[in-house]
Amino acid sequence: MKALEIKKLKKTFKSNFLFKKYEILKGIDINVEEGEIYGFLGPNGAGKTTTIKCVLGIIFPDAGEISIFGKSYNTGEARKKVGFLPEHPYFYDYLTARELLTFTGNLFSLPKKQVSNRADELIKLVGLEKKRELKLKKYSKGMIQRVGLAQSLINDPDLVILDEPFSGLDPIGRKELRDIIISLKEAGKTLFFSSHILQDMEMIVDKVGIILDGSIRKEGRLSDLISHSVRYYETVFTGVAEAALRENNLETNRLDNNYIIKSESEKDANDIIRFVNGHKGQIVSVTPVKMTLEDIFLKEIVG
Amino acid sequence: MKIKAIALNTFKEAVRNKVYYLLIVVGILFALSSQIMSLLTLGDKVKVLKDIGLASINFFCVLIAIFTGINLVFKEIDKKTIYNIVSKPISRSNFILGKFFGLAVTLLVALLSMALIFFVFLLLSTGEFDAKVLLYFILLYFELLIISAISILFSSFSTPILSSIFTISLYLIGHLSWTFNEFKYNLTETFEKVVVYSLYYIIPNLEKLNIKNDIVLKIPIESDVFIGSIIYAVCYIAAVLILAALIFNKKEFK
């Protein structure tokens, strides 16, 4: 079953001035399978947060369908299965972390004992045990992000939606968040998160959706996107006379006694191998240099 | 359970704000200052005690109702804490109800604190226990609930400054709206009558809930008028909250 399915989602905002309309989402489709980590990628203003807000009923779609585990997104049944961490979260600063978690648990009508136990577990999970009785107004940005993550998990959700969860976290915090996300996946949860920090995303996601200007430009499993996207082939060889290279107009870089040639296609790389063998040279290595998520992302944006 | 959670959180927010205590303390001090006023007055000192004391409590409770109420929903939207509410399995109408009940408890605590001290003070000053003052506080509480509902309504779609202007205006006009009822007898045109009738029913008739003069002047309070006033307040509050919920249900949080 799909954890989250979005079909032909459209959303338009009206500007206050002259009632001009801005089409933010132009009929997007997203499919998140149960148990996977889905990275939702896009530059600022592409429509990531608008999509997430539509899924959570914070704003209303103009057209399209959204379902969560097969139920319409706007039903209590669907909402019970979702945990949510907003971008730049702000919580009631007069509450302590424990009080916030208890309050959030009560919004799910969870039994008192269950809320209490779960709150303790989550405070430990996000490393706020020593600050649990401190009011949130005394918390740093990173600590707010941690308590935000804890509140998003209070109902033991099957689908966790995180909007820019890595922003505001230091490298240690990011590593800890990655570990939590992976442990949630291992516990069978589905995660859907947006991020600008591509390295973090690349390390953990199963599937990626790239949104640009309100449209999904690319969606697929990260392994497929990357394996199908070889940037160039790097052939390292030795033992070929320089004159032969010049004669054949081959541009090389030199590293110690080795020559390095970059070729754009597999066919060109094979031609180089044949050339080296024909000139009694030795192939040291042939490496297909694959695209990183950042390369794929930039290619979609810049073209 | 969910409404209770919102209400409890609203109450916590109010009681963890120092301004709340400041208004209660100043309200009590003003009520007690009626003792000084009564010393400077010729004639019925008890009348002055009650008049100034009750008016002070009324004024500061109204201040708490308006200034807590107008921020209640607006702050949730402005600080974006609303994202964490509407994304949960709780209806927006229940959120409005929770906010209202939270404010109702906040006002009850403030009113009870002021009323209790005023009762003791009245007992020590006059040596008599006037149970009718209790009736005044009951109706004042319903008046405060009407003001709370109105301030929540405005706060659901407007800024605190505009909400406070609207709420204070309605509060002031609400104490004069009974004149519309008198005014209609002088009108002959149907259109004018419709306008005046509409205004009479739309604007809260807060004078219905004001029995200060009856208490001070020791005029008997009829039970059917008293109960009628409470029923009126409950109906008005329900209508305002339904309107607030309808507006809130359509609201998008960008």
Side-chain angles (χ1 to χ4, degrees):
Chain A
M1 185 190 281
K2 285 191 174 70
L4 175 64
E5 190 174 18
I6 298 175
K7 283 183 193 166
K8 310 249 176 294
L9 181 66
K10 285 186 181 179
K11 181 67 192 168
T12 305
F13 286 138
K14 282 182 201 131
S15 89
N16 289 332
F17 183 67
L18 294 176
F19 299 104
K20 199 178 169 191
K21 286 183 176 178
Y22 294 94
E23 202 176 12
I24 307 295
L25 299 177
K26 299 169 181 169
I28 65 164
D29 294 299
I30 289 177
N31 293 290
V32 184
E33 298 295 333
E34 204 172 339
E36 72 183 7
I37 303 178
Y38 188 105
F40 194 33
L41 203 56
N44 288 334
K48 299 189 299 289
T49 299
T50 304
T51 306
I52 290 175
K53 282 183 178 176
C54 284
V55 170
L56 294 157
I58 295 168
I59 55 176
F60 308 117
D62 295 341
E65 284 173 36
I66 305 170
S67 58
I68 296 169
F69 294 105
K71 309 273 181 219
S72 173
Y73 75 106
N74 228 358
T75 57
E77 221 175 320
R79 295 271 173 83
K80 271 184 188 170
K81 295 184 173 181
V82 180
F84 171 52
L85 170 67
E87 186 183 9
H88 311 305
Y90 181 90
F91 302 105
Y92 307 106
D93 59 7
Y94 50 87
L95 295 181
T96 64
R98 206 173 190 293
E99 283 175 332
L100 177 75
L101 296 186
T102 307
F103 167 70
T104 313
N106 288 338
L107 294 181
F108 286 94
S109 297
L110 300 174
K112 207 174 167 184
K113 185 80 185 157
Q114 191 184 330
V115 172
S116 176
N117 292 341
R118 186 86 181 132
D120 288 337
E121 271 173 38
L122 290 170
I123 285 172
K124 198 174 166 192
L125 179 77
V126 297
L128 288 173
E129 283 161 298
K130 288 180 185 167
K131 315 273 180 169
R132 55 189 287 163
E133 297 306 330
L134 203 65
K135 295 227 168 72
L136 298 186
K137 67 176 92 168
K138 304 259 171 74
Y139 274 32
S140 68
K141 200 178 168 194
M143 285 157 74
I144 289 287
Q145 195 77 0
R146 284 160 189 258
V147 82
L149 180 68
Q151 66 80 38
S152 73
L153 301 175
I154 191 76
N155 54 324
D156 195 18
D158 293 325
L159 170 64
V160 186
I161 297 177
L162 312 168
D163 194 3
E164 298 286 350
F166 292 102
S167 68
L169 292 181
D170 57 25
I172 298 166
R174 276 162 46 194
K175 160 87 174 66
E176 285 171 357
L177 178 59
R178 282 200 305 268
D179 291 345
I180 291 172
I181 290 176
I182 290 167
S183 70
L184 287 169
K185 178 192 156 72
E186 283 167 358
K189 311 294 182 192
T190 310
L191 287 107
F192 179 90
F193 75 96
S194 67
S195 181
H196 287 114
I197 303 169
L198 302 176
Q199 291 85 348
D200 288 316
M201 195 176 261
E202 195 166 13
M203 279 185 221
I204 52 176
V205 295
D206 298 310
K207 200 170 175 183
V208 175
I210 298 176
I211 184 170
L212 188 65
D213 195 23
S215 306
I216 296 287
R217 290 296 178 90
K218 207 162 211 147
E219 190 189 42
R221 300 198 72 77
L222 186 65
S223 52
D224 294 343
L225 290 178
I226 287 176
S227 67
H228 290 142
S229 309
V230 176
R231 284 171 71 198
Y232 57 86
Y233 292 85
E234 190 178 74
T235 310
V236 182
F237 59 91
T238 186
V240 177
E242 268 197 58
L245 293 169
R246 271 199 303 274
E247 231 171 72
N248 287 279
N249 291 326
L250 289 174
E251 275 184 36
T252 58
N253 290 317
R254 235 184 134 154
L255 186 69
D256 300 329
N257 291 327
N258 294 335
Y259 293 100
I260 304 166
I261 292 187
K262 284 183 184 176
S263 30
E264 282 186 3
S265 67
E266 200 176 341
K267 182 185 166 296
D268 291 348
N270 284 331
D271 289 345
I272 302 287
I273 294 167
R274 272 195 292 276
F275 168 80
V276 173
N277 289 336
H279 288 79
K280 312 274 186 231
Q282 284 176 317
I283 296 288
V284 176
S285 65
V286 180
T287 316
V289 178
K290 287 180 181 174
M291 285 184 116
T292 61
L293 184 56
E294 188 169 339
D295 295 324
I296 295 169
F297 181 57
L298 289 174
K299 195 179 163 194
E300 285 302 322
I301 292 174
V302 182
Chain B
M1 176 93 168
K2 291 170 189 174
I3 296 176
K4 191 178 150 195
I6 300 280
L8 188 67
N9 189 42
T10 306
F11 178 65
K12 268 186 191 167
E13 180 177 7
V15 298
R16 289 183 185 179
N17 188 341
K18 287 172 188 143
V19 178
Y20 176 69
Y21 297 102
L22 187 74
L23 287 172
I24 293 177
V25 170
V26 176
I28 290 169
L29 289 177
F30 264 75
L32 300 186
S33 72
S34 57
Q35 175 77 24
I36 303 163
M37 297 293 185
S38 71
L39 294 174
L40 303 170
T41 314
L42 291 172
D44 192 349
K45 287 187 169 51
V46 178
K47 180 179 169 296
V48 177
L49 272 184
K50 286 181 186 168
D51 207 355
I52 296 176
L54 296 179
S56 304
I57 292 173
N58 185 319
F59 179 74
F60 284 94
C61 280
V62 168
L63 273 189
I64 295 174
I66 292 177
F67 291 105
T68 313
I70 55 165
N71 276 309
L72 273 186
V73 180
F74 178 80
K75 232 165 112 181
E76 296 261 11
I77 299 168
D78 190 45
K79 301 274 189 186
K80 296 180 178 169
T81 45
I82 194 72
Y83 291 2
N84 267 326
I85 305 286
V86 295
S87 60
K88 304 287 184 283
I90 172 169
S91 72
R92 294 184 179 201
S93 315
N94 281 353
F95 170 76
I96 291 288
L97 270 183
K99 282 279 164 195
F100 173 76
F101 286 127
L103 184 53
V105 176
T106 307
L107 288 167
L108 185 65
V109 172
L111 182 61
L112 279 178
S113 325
M114 293 190 207
L116 192 69
I117 291 174
F118 186 69
F119 264 119
V120 174
F121 163 73
L122 211 56
L123 193 64
L124 294 174
S125 304
T126 64
E128 64 175 70
F129 178 78
D130 188 355
K132 279 185 182 166
V133 175
L134 188 65
L135 299 180
Y136 170 80
F137 284 129
I138 291 171
L139 289 189
L140 171 61
Y141 184 60
F142 279 97
E143 180 180 344
L144 295 174
L145 293 183
I146 289 181
I147 296 165
S148 306
I150 291 171
S151 61
I152 286 174
L153 168 69
F154 287 132
S155 141
S156 66
F157 64 86
S158 180
T159 62
I161 294 172
L162 284 177
S163 300
S164 56
I165 293 170
F166 293 148
T167 311
I168 291 168
S169 306
L170 264 186
Y171 168 71
L172 295 174
I173 301 168
H175 276 285
L176 299 168
S177 67
W178 58 274
T179 54
F180 290 125
N181 206 26
E182 308 293 315
F183 190 48
K184 71 186 180 199
Y185 297 114
N186 301 325
L187 297 172
T188 49
E189 294 289 324
T190 318
F191 176 72
E192 288 169 346
K193 275 190 175 178
V194 169
V195 170
V196 170
Y197 264 112
S198 309
L199 284 174
Y200 177 67
Y201 286 107
I202 290 170
I203 295 167
N205 185 353
L206 297 178
E207 272 306 297
K208 254 186 195 294
L209 301 158
N210 182 10
I211 52 167
K212 186 158 73 58
N213 288 342
D214 307 61
I215 305 281
V216 172
L217 301 171
K218 296 185 175 171
I219 299 168
I221 296 155
E222 289 169 27
S223 61
D224 54 342
V225 174
F226 182 80
I227 293 166
S229 300
I230 291 177
I231 292 170
Y232 168 78
V234 171
C235 294
Y236 195 88
I237 291 163
V240 174
L241 290 179
I242 288 169
L243 186 60
L246 287 174
I247 292 171
F248 208 64
N249 275 335
K250 299 270 173 207
K251 196 167 177 69
E252 294 196 295
F253 307 103
K254 292 171 190 167

